[in-house]
Amino acid sequence: MTYTPEQVERLLPTVWGRAWAWGMQNSQAPDPDMPRSSSVASHAGTYWAHLADISSAWHRTFLTRELRVALFLTHACGWTQEEIAEHEQVSQRAISKRLARGLELITNHLNHGTIHEEAAA
């Protein structure tokens, strides 16, 4: 299974709000009016695996304090990049770069395993 930064960005809020996951729409789910069949584990979707992966990746990926703050304030608290920039006393462009780099590192961790400190710098 390969992750994209867009998928990681969509899944990140579930790390901090477990109940939030119940409100997410599974893009692979059939229409609600479709008849249901018996569940076979080998044919199940990957929705819950994605949620477990993103939670694990948040805790295991090496991210600097700056990257974690930018990702947390954006995806958990709903702050804008301008609000975070003011809080961190940097430019909005710096926050944009931090968000992109953080998503890239988490995506790389999910796709390739542990990323070492040297790679995060």
Side-chain angles (χ1 to χ4, degrees):
M1 173 177 352
T2 302
Y3 287 90
T4 65
E6 293 78 20
Q7 284 177 305
V8 170
E9 188 170 28
R10 194 173 61 249
L11 291 167
L12 263 177
T14 65
V15 172
W16 303 285
R18 301 287 185 225
W20 194 87
W22 295 104
M24 287 184 66
Q25 297 296 318
N26 180 355
S27 60
Q28 299 174 347
D31 291 332
D33 60 345
M34 293 293 293
R36 296 184 183 250
S37 64
S38 60
S39 179
V40 178
S42 64
H43 296 101
T46 56
Y47 179 70
W48 294 107
H50 287 300
L51 296 181
D53 286 350
I54 195 68
S55 180
S56 174
W58 172 256
H59 296 289
R60 294 180 182 199
T61 303
F62 174 79
L63 296 170
T64 63
R65 177 219 170 262
E66 291 80 11
L67 297 177
R68 285 194 186 273
V69 166
L71 289 167
F72 176 78
L73 291 177
T74 299
H75 298 290
C77 300
W79 287 24
T80 65
Q81 290 183 17
E82 292 78 14
E83 291 170 328
I84 300 169
E86 183 179 335
H87 179 268
E88 293 291 302
Q89 299 178 345
V90 296
S91 68
Q92 180 271 326
R93 184 173 179 195
I95 297 302
S96 179
K97 287 182 178 183
R98 290 176 186 181
L99 291 169
R101 181 65 177 150
L103 290 173
E104 177 187 348
L105 289 172
I106 293 172
T107 303
N108 286 341
H109 176 82
L110 286 166
N111 291 332
H112 306 295
T114 303
I115 302 298
H116 299 286
E117 266 185 59
E118 312 73 77

